[in-house]
Amino acid sequence: MPAMDPARRRLRLADAHISVLGLLVEEGEVPDELAQARAELRDAGILDADEKISAELYPLVSTLMEPHVIARVEMTGPQGVSTSGAVVGNHFVFAHEGWPGEEESEYVPVEPEMLVFALSRMVDLHKGPADGTDDADAGEEIVSTMGVLDAVLDRMESEGHEEHEAIAEAVGAPARLAEVLSHLNCMWRMTVAWPGGEDAPDGLGVSALAVWDCGLEGYWVREAPAEPVREGQVDDSSELKVRRITAKEIWERITDLLPDQEQLLVDPAA
């Protein structure tokens, strides 16, 4: 169910609720399939009896209606896929975080200079084994194919991570690949999009980063296939290359994903 917490300027909304709010702002007709979502917004006090949107929602709704930069985080873990991200508008920035198995996400305002902190927290970025100054393993690379990666993951799902040596042999995978994946906590991909001008594909600038969080084996960035990956671009024969990376390097890469600071808000002084 949607909810609003004015004291902390946060809201819980599902995609259906966002769709209803957008239609109401544009004075469009709400279709029957969104009737329940509209009723839930009314019950939560987000809409009044005349279907006027609560004033507390103006910053969020105005930001969602005219996004200037959109960041999306897709995290795949033991409980499935969850989606989080951030939206930068003309005057406000909002972050949203999902929970595995739940439709609603929590939306909270973020100061522009805190956006990297917010995105890093969404992926639980923290110091790992490769962050030690004496760790000679930082920068280690593993090369294989996407088909082999899928085969290893499928076998581990059915046979268990502790059998990684036998799995590597059975599917012809590098032993190190299976060993690293036996410690896999989650995989996540962060994508940032913004108006990129006439020379950008589809008129959008896009940057992305794909990372494996492998617990004791640390963080691994997927360098091939290189992000952003477009539909149909990757098949089983595509090269897979991952490199062990420190949390500090990931922080720097997240920072580099974002447009320049002056692009984050159209009116930073507002």
Side-chain angles (χ1 to χ4, degrees):
M1 292 293 291
M4 179 169 57
D5 179 9
R8 295 181 60 187
R9 298 187 297 158
R10 59 178 181 169
L11 302 106
R12 280 177 57 87
L13 298 168
D15 290 345
H17 303 131
I18 297 293
S19 297
V20 171
L21 294 173
L23 288 169
L24 293 177
V25 168
E26 294 179 339
E27 298 183 351
E29 183 177 347
V30 178
D32 292 341
E33 57 265 28
L34 292 176
Q36 180 178 346
R38 178 171 58 183
E40 291 173 348
L41 289 170
R42 193 182 300 115
D43 292 342
I46 295 173
L47 297 178
D48 63 19
D50 297 325
E51 297 199 332
K52 298 293 185 181
I53 299 174
S54 172
E56 283 87 353
L57 264 76
Y58 167 74
L60 174 60
V61 173
S62 65
T63 299
L64 294 176
M65 292 298 293
E66 296 186 19
H68 191 59
V69 178
I70 297 175
R72 179 180 175 88
V73 178
E74 296 172 307
M75 180 172 287
T76 303
Q79 293 178 292
V81 180
S82 61
T83 303
S84 303
V87 183
V88 180
N90 289 339
H91 308 300
F92 306 100
V93 180
F94 276 85
H96 60 91
E97 291 193 52
W99 191 272
E102 293 192 11
E103 294 184 0
E104 288 86 7
S105 295
E106 182 177 88
Y107 288 79
V108 295
V110 176
E111 294 299 320
E113 59 271 19
M114 297 296 289
L115 183 53
V116 175
F117 287 88
L119 293 171
S120 298
R121 192 179 69 81
M122 290 175 194
V123 297
D124 188 31
L125 184 63
H126 58 278
K127 288 185 177 180
D131 287 270
T133 55
D134 297 327
D135 193 333
D137 293 331
E140 177 187 3
E141 290 186 352
I142 301 173
V143 177
S144 185
T145 66
M146 292 299 291
V148 170
L149 170 64
D150 290 340
V152 171
L153 292 174
D154 289 343
R155 286 288 190 111
M156 285 187 171
E157 185 176 354
S158 61
E159 300 177 19
H161 290 195
E162 63 276 5
E163 303 295 334
H164 63 87
E165 293 181 357
I167 290 173
E169 183 176 355
V171 303
R176 186 64 176 135
L177 176 62
E179 183 180 13
V180 167
L181 290 173
S182 71
H183 294 275
L184 182 66
N185 289 329
C186 66
M187 295 179 173
W188 56 263
R189 178 168 56 187
M190 187 179 297
T191 306
V192 178
W194 65 94
E198 296 180 357
D199 296 333
D202 303 322
L204 289 177
V206 180
S207 58
L209 174 67
V211 173
W212 300 353
D213 178 350
C214 295
L216 294 176
E217 289 288 353
Y219 291 111
W220 295 74
V221 62
R222 196 190 74 218
E223 296 185 336
E227 291 287 348
V229 174
R230 296 185 177 274
E231 185 177 355
Q233 186 177 345
V234 175
D235 58 26
D236 287 350
S237 64
S238 298
E239 180 189 30
L240 168 72
K241 183 169 73 172
V242 293
R243 182 173 65 86
R244 200 175 191 188
I245 190 172
T246 65
K248 179 181 178 181
E249 289 177 278
I250 294 177
W251 174 277
E252 292 169 349
R253 289 194 177 212
I254 291 174
T255 302
D256 291 342
L257 290 181
L258 298 170
D260 294 336
Q261 181 68 26
E262 58 267 22
Q263 293 179 267
L264 286 179
L265 291 180
V266 172
D267 185 5

